[in-house]
Amino acid sequence: MIPRLAAAPPPSVRVRAPGKVNLGLRVGPVGDDGYHPLATIFQAVSLFEEVTATQVTPGAGISLTVSGPQADAVPTDESNLAWRAAALLAERTGLAADVQLHITKGVPVAGGMAGGSADAAAALVACDALWEAGVPRPDLVELAAELGADVPFSLLGHTAVGTGRGDLLTPAMTRGEFHWCFATQREGLSTPTVFRRFDELAGPSTPRVAPADDTAIMHALRAGDPVALGKALHNDLEGPALDLRPELADVVEVATESGALGVVVSGSGPTVAALGRSRQHALALGAAWTAADVVDAVWCATGPAPGTQIVTPMRA
């Protein structure tokens, strides 16, 4: 009897994209278009989203599954940024939007660390490779900006200055490695709600912003000086986030009392980022948060981390 050969698995591509922390985030007055001009310094950190794109039969369309921490909080329909990324790439290249996407979560959900943006960046790269579309990286960056302000940085990674809505990027020179611990909460914070509270608190006196406002951060990065970086961390959205979620002040206080070099709300929150002296100190900061029972989870990571990259090339 001739043995039956097992069917070969369909072609697939696995891509990894990083989460981020805002080392500095300055917010200008809301414009007529409803958006706030930003001057921010992003750093990618070693918490990653992975997206696997798998070939499906023609006409099957897009499907999406999610696994990993907080997977049940992630939508699996066309509202998901990874789904939208695949659909946008197909539309712009004239290819059929047929793909199975699987997201493996590694970045906190709704925590101000751009996990959804990382999914979108990874989906763009994965689908481009799977469909052999050959879209140049600069064009992928332009598509990324259409999906969200943080998506281009997820493609670039490392450390960068962001202006405009945060999507106009200039790579920043850094030395060394920085050790972070992140405190997350089960209940997220809506980014539009935080910006509205910022407007209410700031009133008509909101100053204009420029990257030069954060020269202390840039100097610390170039020197590889975590002590100086900790002192310079800044986020204009921290006040509104703490106003909406006063309990986050306890998270900041515990990290400060535990010797963190600097503590800041990440993006629009509610994640709080603490900078440690070393990898061991970052772990100790997480232990202090857990012992104080002021967090739902802690995540330790290093930065800067690389941007979106293929980790398993297409296989047939």
Side-chain angles (χ1 to χ4, degrees):
M1 182 177 180
I2 300 174
R4 180 178 298 176
L5 297 176
S12 65
V13 179
R14 184 165 59 97
V15 173
R16 179 178 295 160
K20 59 83 179 171
V21 60
N22 294 85
L23 307 178
L25 176 56
R26 297 188 185 272
V27 182
V30 64
D32 294 337
D33 59 359
Y35 287 93
H36 297 76
L38 305 177
T40 186
I41 302 172
F42 297 109
Q43 183 165 94
V45 297
S46 59
L47 298 175
F48 297 99
E49 299 282 281
E50 289 192 351
V51 173
T52 301
T54 302
Q55 189 178 87
V56 295
T57 56
I62 300 172
S63 61
L64 178 67
T65 54
V66 185
S67 63
Q70 301 174 289
D72 58 343
V74 179
T76 56
D77 58 15
E78 61 272 13
S79 66
N80 188 289
L81 272 178
W83 183 305
R84 289 169 53 196
L88 179 63
L89 182 66
E91 174 192 334
R92 296 301 168 83
T93 57
L95 299 170
D98 296 326
V99 65
Q100 178 187 348
L101 298 173
H102 180 77
I103 298 171
T104 304
K105 295 295 299 175
V107 177
V109 174
M113 296 186 69
S117 296
D119 293 336
L124 282 175
V125 172
C127 290
D128 177 66
L130 181 72
W131 296 337
E132 299 181 318
V135 178
R137 183 58 70 103
D139 293 345
L140 286 180
V141 171
E142 290 185 12
L143 292 179
E146 294 185 38
L147 293 163
D150 289 341
V151 184
F153 177 70
S154 295
L155 283 172
L156 179 67
H158 301 284
T159 307
V161 176
T163 55
R165 298 178 186 176
D167 58 326
L168 304 176
L169 299 172
T170 303
M173 184 182 300
T174 64
R175 291 181 61 193
E177 191 174 57
F178 298 92
H179 302 279
W180 297 94
C181 192
F182 300 98
T184 62
Q185 311 291 334
R186 287 193 189 92
E187 183 182 352
L189 263 174
S190 161
T191 297
T193 299
V194 175
F195 273 99
R196 282 195 298 270
R197 191 66 183 126
F198 170 83
D199 291 334
E200 293 166 359
L201 293 173
S205 59
T206 307
R208 297 192 177 277
V209 296
D213 294 331
D214 280 317
T215 54
I217 293 177
M218 299 302 294
H219 289 158
L221 290 170
R222 284 195 293 269
D225 186 344
V227 174
L229 179 61
K231 292 177 180 177
L233 297 174
H234 175 83
N235 182 2
D236 280 350
L237 295 181
E238 183 168 308
L242 292 175
D243 187 73
L244 291 165
R245 296 280 291 276
E247 67 273 17
L248 295 179
D250 294 333
V251 183
V252 173
E253 182 180 2
V254 169
T256 302
E257 291 180 348
S258 300
L261 299 179
V263 189
V264 68
V265 171
S266 180
S268 58
T271 296
V272 173
L275 181 60
R277 296 185 299 272
S278 63
R279 191 184 305 271
Q280 292 73 21
H281 185 217
L283 292 169
L285 293 172
W289 272 331
T290 302
D293 196 24
V294 293
V295 301
D296 290 319
V298 296
W299 311 61
C300 289
T302 58
T308 303
Q309 55 189 340
I310 295 173
V311 291
T312 303
M314 185 165 67
R315 59 171 177 77

